[in-house]
Amino acid sequence: MLSESSVLARLGHGEAIHGLLGSVPSPLLCEMVAAAGYDFLILDREHLLRGEEELMHCLRACEAAGIAAWLRLPEVDAKQIGRALDAGFETIVLPRVESADEVARAVAAAWFPPQGRRGISGGRVTGFGALALPDYIARVNGEPRIVPMIESAAGLEALPAILAQPGVAMVLEGALDLALDLGLGPQPAHPQVWRALQRIAEACAEAGVPFCANPRTPEQLDHWRERGIRCFLAGEDRGLLLAALKNRLHDLQQKN
């Protein structure tokens, strides 16, 4: 049944939260990420051809294990946003957002009239009718659940207008894609990108919208903590798993 996002609520109460981008389709891995202590998992449909049945299994695994399930969609699609929220995903992550209009359309797809344009359903997310529809609508329309990612120069320029839109729960940085868009190649730690991330964090602070950092070095992590950032993305499960497996093999192969 729909409930307030515990992750966003905890962030609002001053706690730190930690998430992971999930690119390995596996309910078992969802449970493992929860067991490791992460607070939220972003299941990815931007770069993966994932089926809806598989997503539902992953969603149920997250719910059972006590980790918040977020979904990254490839674009603003009103029908997909509504169906994902009807299924029980807590938050919709949108990559490469470059205009306030994109956010406004996403929020309209997430909220019911008169604030939005989402169609009503009394299915899984209402406990199959256990939560009265007026109460359900009031909860949905009172809580932001859209997370735009800023991954381009156009997104940087549009950020003040994006942050002015109601319904933005958080802003997530995409340093790697931002570096590519700026013509710097795959260099997410480039000084120009780092300066851009500071602009994003500053704009979010001024607007009172949480900023989620994806620190790539211990120095970056220290910097964000000193700035008071409390939401962190640990990266992507594929990369972390591969690194751990390679490091373990390297240790075993070392000669005494």
Side-chain angles (χ1 to χ4, degrees), residues 183-202:
L184 303 171
Q187 299 188 71
H190 191 282
Q192 187 175 340
V193 176
W194 182 243
R195 290 192 294 270
L197 298 185
Q198 306 310 304
R199 285 179 55 190
I200 297 173
E202 290 166 6

Side-chain angles (χ1 to χ4, degrees), residues 158-224:
L159 185 56
I162 289 170
L163 291 169
Q165 297 296 312
V168 176
M170 178 188 295
V171 168
L172 180 60
E173 56 106 327
L176 181 55
D177 278 299
L178 181 56
L180 293 173
D181 187 77
L182 294 174
L184 303 171
Q187 299 188 71
H190 191 282
Q192 187 175 340
V193 176
W194 182 243
R195 290 192 294 270
L197 298 185
Q198 306 310 304
R199 285 179 55 190
I200 297 173
E202 290 166 6
C204 287
E206 291 175 3
V209 174
F211 168 71
C212 184
N214 184 2
R216 289 164 172 82
T217 66
E219 292 75 20
Q220 287 189 0
L221 177 58
D222 290 342
H223 172 84
W224 291 127

Side-chain angles (χ1 to χ4, degrees), residues 43-61:
L43 299 174
D44 190 25
R45 287 197 79 183
E46 180 191 8
H47 296 295
L48 293 180
L49 296 172
R50 307 183 77 156
E52 293 184 355
E53 183 176 353
E54 172 201 296
L55 283 172
M56 283 303 303
H57 287 314
C58 288
L59 172 59
R60 293 188 186 97

